Amino acid sequence: MIEPYEEGVTVEAALPHLGDEGAFGIPATQGPAERAVLRIGRPPERA
């Protein structure tokens, strides 16, 4: 996670959407923010 951050890859774009998809009582980190973190953790695609 450090290397992508150093390259400028963050979850910043997902932060305004915290809680958009969850019902009351569901952690706000599920949904867009969680998917953004998972995308950062994936190995880069090869061309």
Side-chain angles (χ1 to χ4, degrees), residues 8-22:
V9 179
T10 69
V11 298
E12 180 180 9
L15 296 179
H17 305 286
L18 285 175
D20 281 359
E21 294 183 5

Side-chain angles (χ1 to χ4, degrees), residues 15-41:
L15 296 179
H17 305 286
L18 285 175
D20 281 359
E21 294 183 5
F24 181 78
I26 301 298
T29 54
Q30 293 181 345
E34 183 176 39
R35 285 191 296 276
V37 170
L38 294 174
R39 276 193 298 271
I40 291 173

